[in-house]
Amino acid sequence: QAQFVESGGGLVQAGGSLNLSCVASGFTMDHYAIGWFRQAPGKEREGVSCIGQSDPRPFYADSVRGRFTISRDNAKKTVYLQMNSLKSEDTAVYYCARGRLGYYCSGYVPYEPTDWGQGTQVTVSS
């Protein structure tokens, strides 16, 4: 059974940084595009960034491009999201998910994301 466990969230002041981790289990992560998503209170979940499997070019939503960096370590079955210059509007629960087997990133989200983790809370104080 595919699972993700996110960690690394917390409370940080505006302008600060956090590095989120997403550890995968139950499947061969190398074969999947992986994405980060977030959901702020009262808002729908939105895509943040995606990284492909064989072609690890990263893709980012406009709102985070230049501030966030996604990376993956297939040997550790982990995807990271380095978040710099955090803003209050980045406050949300952050999730990771995998895309459909054999498909690359569809823009900055995996194609047909599935197998969501439980999320990690990021709170940015202004």
Side-chain angles (χ1 to χ4, degrees):
Q1 180 180 357
Q3 286 188 326
F4 289 103
V5 177
E6 301 94 338
S7 63
L11 173 64
V12 63
Q13 289 188 334
S17 298
L18 285 172
N19 190 25
L20 306 184
S21 297
C22 169
V23 179
S25 63
F27 69 102
T28 304
M29 197 182 80
D30 312 37
H31 298 166
Y32 294 84
I34 307 293
W36 281 98
F37 297 77
R38 66 186 181 185
Q39 187 167 20
K43 295 186 177 181
E44 292 189 356
R45 186 155 48 192
E46 62 177 2
V48 173
S49 182
C50 184
I51 187 165
Q53 52 277 55
S54 59
D55 179 11
R57 285 180 297 170
F59 298 90
Y60 300 98
D62 288 344
S63 58
V64 306
R65 187 177 295 112
R67 300 188 297 121
F68 290 10
T69 302
I70 191 171
S71 61
R72 64 190 294 162
D73 184 335
N74 289 334
K76 294 184 178 180
K77 304 193 74 171
T78 302
V79 177
Y80 304 96
L81 187 68
Q82 175 66 43
M83 306 187 298
N84 298 328
S85 303
L86 283 162
K87 306 176 181 179
S88 57
E89 51 263 46
D90 294 319
T91 294
V93 178
Y94 284 71
Y95 303 87
C96 54
R98 63 173 178 171
R100 187 173 176 181
L101 179 64
Y103 287 77
Y104 298 105
C105 297
S106 178
Y108 55 84
V109 296
Y111 182 75
E112 295 186 354
T114 186
D115 298 313
W116 303 90
Q118 85 291 344
T120 185
Q121 175 71 48
V122 171
T123 303
V124 184
S125 63
S126 56

